Amino acid sequence: MSADILIIDDEADIRELVAGILDDEGYETRMAANSDECLAEISHRRPGLVILDIWLRGSKLDGLEILQHIKKDLPDLPVLMISGHGNIETAVQTIKMGAYDFIEKPFKAERLLQLVERSLEAVRLRREVAELKHKAGEVMTDLICRSHAMLQLQQTIEKVSPTGSRVLITGPSGSGKEVVARLIHTQSTRQDGPFVILNAATLAPDRLEIQLFGVEDGRMSSVKGARRGLLEQAHGGTLFLDEIADMPLETQGKILRVLVDQSFQRVGGNEKVKVDVRIISSSSQDLREAMASGRLREDLYHRLGVVPISVPALKERPEDIGPLARYFIERFAKSSGLPVRKIGEDAIATLQTSSWPGNVRQLKNVIEQIMILATGNKTATITAAMVPPDAGSSQSIMNGQNDNTEIMALPLRDARERFEKEYLEAQINRFGGNISRTASFVGMERSALHRKLKTLGVSNGDRKRVFD
């Protein structure tokens, strides 16, 4: 997505010349002749870069005063100063005031484009650094997977990312929906633009629209000047609407209008703000049920879900637990200064038998717990004995969570059958329901395993899942 550049110069031919050079390079340009027009354009929608002439005839404010105004309200907005009366002192002064650089008229097109590219790149790098600092240790940046379901998801991401289509991501909490959204953004033509997140579940309804649409100047006593909402901040990039079913219906209607004409009004405002934003949304809820109960507008659902993507729960893809555990070990070791440790196959097998109601997020927390609390040699291989007994909240004899007095009260034959049943169910879950792989691992013929499961009384639902 090309940057939005605002050009301010009192000479029309200079404005049009600069705009023509930038338009030819694919940038989006706007023009202003004086301070009033400049500040109105910035208030309407923040540009990605300002090219500002120092001497503005017939203007209330000159370029230096406009620069001061911009840096006071929008310190991160890059400004490139231009002048036909420049000198070293002027250049030094503008840079001290916060300008990115200074270029003297007449200038060559190549020099202008070089400075524009550098200033935009500097902004992009600052944004990435700030986001990485904010998200350090919290958000994965890639899919770590081995399972067939996740490899298929990876292919879907590669197909949908360049299209610009709206995507609706569903899946249980902690399964990686934000990771998918970020991957779609980074593999799209908007990858150099912002990636902005709004989690509807974390905001009170009366604050949601302020966060999303912004506030017009003078409409809130606690806010000086207009406040840009997340839609404006995401201009040229992607807005990720997390947990859309938690949005108030009135806000859903306003979002629907944004999807139709890519414009909106700030809270308390009358003028429309035009934006170019790709919207990716997500939910951990049953959206069909949400529509049936009236909590989600059906027309919004169909607008957002041009391309639906489903992220499976971790328990449905146990093959991914090993690669994910190793990834989290390496990442936590790097962030904490601890040595990277190997994880044994017995530990992975134990993790694979768990149910993981918190999905990937819960696995990450368990790995960090192991790395922090494991005693002894900090470089030793992580074994099954180091896995917390409640890891993955799996209620099973396999991890010792059931009351031992219950099994001790059973005759040997009943206790053995119970153990065999839970052991085989855990192994089947570990291998994602693949009966052949399970049989190979436990050392049984496939047909013998079928007979054993039938003898042990595996429920019809489980048998269907296993045998299909």
Side-chain angles (χ1 to χ4, degrees):
M1 175 64 195
S2 61
D4 174 19
I5 301 176
L6 177 59
I7 304 159
I8 305 100
D9 198 296
D10 59 306
E11 299 181 58
D13 56 344
I14 297 295
R15 294 196 302 270
E16 293 170 2
L17 173 63
V18 173
I21 293 171
L22 296 175
D23 288 341
D24 289 342
E25 294 299 315
Y27 293 107
E28 177 186 345
T29 58
R30 290 183 278 158
M31 292 180 281
N34 52 55
S35 60
D36 287 345
E37 292 180 9
C38 167
L39 298 178
E41 287 290 342
I42 293 175
S43 176
H44 175 67
R45 187 182 73 233
R46 171 177 166 163
L49 170 67
V50 172
I51 298 178
L52 175 61
D53 188 17
I54 290 180
W55 309 106
L56 296 172
R57 290 172 296 182
S59 175
K60 291 181 182 178
L61 305 177
D62 64 20
L64 295 179
E65 292 170 320
I66 294 174
L67 176 61
Q68 284 181 316
H69 193 284
I70 291 174
K71 287 301 166 182
K72 179 182 177 182
D73 294 338
L74 301 169
D76 295 330
L77 176 57
V79 180
L80 181 61
M81 305 298 294
I82 58 175
S83 175
H85 310 280
N87 53 48
I88 295 298
E89 290 76 15
T90 305
V92 171
Q93 182 183 2
T94 59
I95 292 173
K96 282 184 177 180
M97 292 171 62
Y100 175 77
D101 212 329
F102 177 93
I103 185 170
E104 187 177 359
K105 301 176 187 176
F107 48 78
K108 293 183 178 181
E110 292 80 3
R111 174 62 176 163
L112 174 66
L113 291 173
Q114 184 182 55
L115 289 177
V116 167
E117 291 171 2
R118 285 180 180 176
S119 60
L120 292 173
E121 177 68 8
V123 171
R124 185 182 67 81
L125 291 174
R126 281 200 301 270
R127 184 170 61 236
E128 288 182 357
V129 169
E131 186 175 350
L132 286 172
K133 286 181 178 179
H134 179 67
K135 293 293 184 179
E138 295 297 325
V139 177
M140 295 173 62
T141 57
D142 203 355
L143 287 184
I144 310 298
C145 59
R146 183 183 294 166
S147 65
H148 178 68
M150 292 300 288
L151 292 174
Q152 281 190 321
L153 175 59
Q154 202 168 41
Q155 293 175 356
T156 301
I157 291 171
E158 292 171 359
K159 290 177 182 178
V160 73
S161 296
T163 65
S165 297
R166 291 186 289 273
V167 179
L168 174 56
I169 307 168
T170 57
S173 179
S175 58
K177 297 186 292 297
E178 184 181 329
V179 176
V180 172
R182 285 179 179 275
L183 284 173
I184 292 172
H185 171 73
T186 57
Q187 295 179 23
S188 74
T189 57
R190 297 170 180 266
Q191 59 184 340
D192 293 331
F195 179 83
V196 179
I197 302 173
L198 174 68
N199 190 320
T202 63
L203 291 173
D206 60 335
R207 301 295 301 174
L208 186 60
E209 290 194 11
I210 293 173
Q211 284 285 94
L212 186 58
F213 301 112
V215 183
E216 198 61 56
D217 187 9
R219 294 295 178 173
M220 289 182 65
S221 58
S222 60
V223 178
K224 293 182 178 180
R227 174 190 286 178
R228 293 190 311 138
L230 297 182
L231 270 167
E232 282 183 84
Q233 294 177 36
H235 178 68
T238 303
L239 176 63
F240 178 47
L241 299 177
D242 195 15
E243 297 299 346
I244 56 164
D246 289 321
M247 279 188 177
L249 288 173
E250 184 179 354
T251 307
Q252 291 181 28
K254 293 181 179 180
I255 285 286
L256 187 62
R257 288 194 288 275
V258 173
L259 297 178
V260 173
D261 61 9
Q262 289 274 295
S263 67
F264 62 93
Q265 293 175 333
R266 297 191 187 103
V267 173
N270 297 315
E271 292 187 7
K272 283 193 172 183
V273 180
K274 197 79 174 175
V275 291
D276 183 2
V277 175
R278 182 184 194 177
I279 293 183
I280 299 175
S281 54
S282 78
S283 180
S284 59
Q285 301 183 35
D286 182 340
L287 295 184
R288 297 289 180 183
E289 188 277 329
M291 286 187 287
S293 63
R295 292 182 292 110
L296 177 66
R297 292 178 58 133
E298 187 172 353
D299 48 1
L300 178 62
Y301 169 80
H302 291 298
R303 286 275 184 179
L304 291 173
V306 175
V307 180
I309 289 180
S310 177
V311 183
L314 184 58
K315 68 179 180 180
E316 297 172 4
R317 46 186 175 104
E319 307 98 308
D320 296 333
I321 290 176
L324 282 167
R326 295 183 184 96
Y327 170 80
F328 289 133
I329 288 170
E330 291 180 8
R331 195 172 73 171
F332 184 72
K334 185 176 181 180
S335 65
S336 64
L338 293 171
V340 177
R341 305 178 68 166
K342 292 183 178 180
I343 182 167
E345 289 300 320
D346 59 333
I348 291 174
T350 300
L351 295 173
Q352 286 176 328
T353 63
S354 299
S355 57
W356 300 110
N359 293 288
V360 178
R361 187 184 297 125
Q362 184 183 10
L363 174 63
K364 170 182 172 292
N365 293 339
V366 167
I367 292 299
E368 290 188 7
Q369 180 182 349
I370 293 172
M371 293 282 286
I372 293 170
L373 299 180
T375 57
N377 187 349
K378 291 295 183 180
T379 63
T381 298
I382 295 172
T383 64
M386 299 178 187
V387 177
D390 59 346
S393 300
S394 177
Q395 297 296 322
S396 170
I397 292 174
M398 299 305 298
N399 59 19
Q401 286 191 51
N402 281 351
D403 187 352
N404 286 334
T405 59
E406 183 181 346
I407 193 170
M408 291 300 292
L410 297 175
L412 176 60
R413 179 176 177 179
D414 293 343
R416 183 171 60 237
E417 285 186 359
R418 179 170 174 178
F419 174 82
E420 286 182 340
K421 180 178 179 180
E422 292 206 17
Y423 170 79
L424 292 174
E425 285 177 343
Q427 295 296 353
I428 288 166
N429 181 64
R430 174 188 178 190
F431 291 106
N434 188 309
I435 198 73
S436 297
R437 291 178 62 192
T438 303
S440 176
F441 179 83
V442 301
M444 297 178 67
E445 294 290 338
R446 189 173 186 277
S447 58
L449 180 55
H450 274 291
R451 291 193 297 273
K452 173 62 73 173
L453 292 172
K454 185 175 181 179
T455 301
L456 292 173
V458 175
S459 67
N460 289 336
D462 287 342
R463 287 169 60 188
K464 186 178 187 300
R465 177 181 64 83
V466 171
F467 299 150
D468 280 351

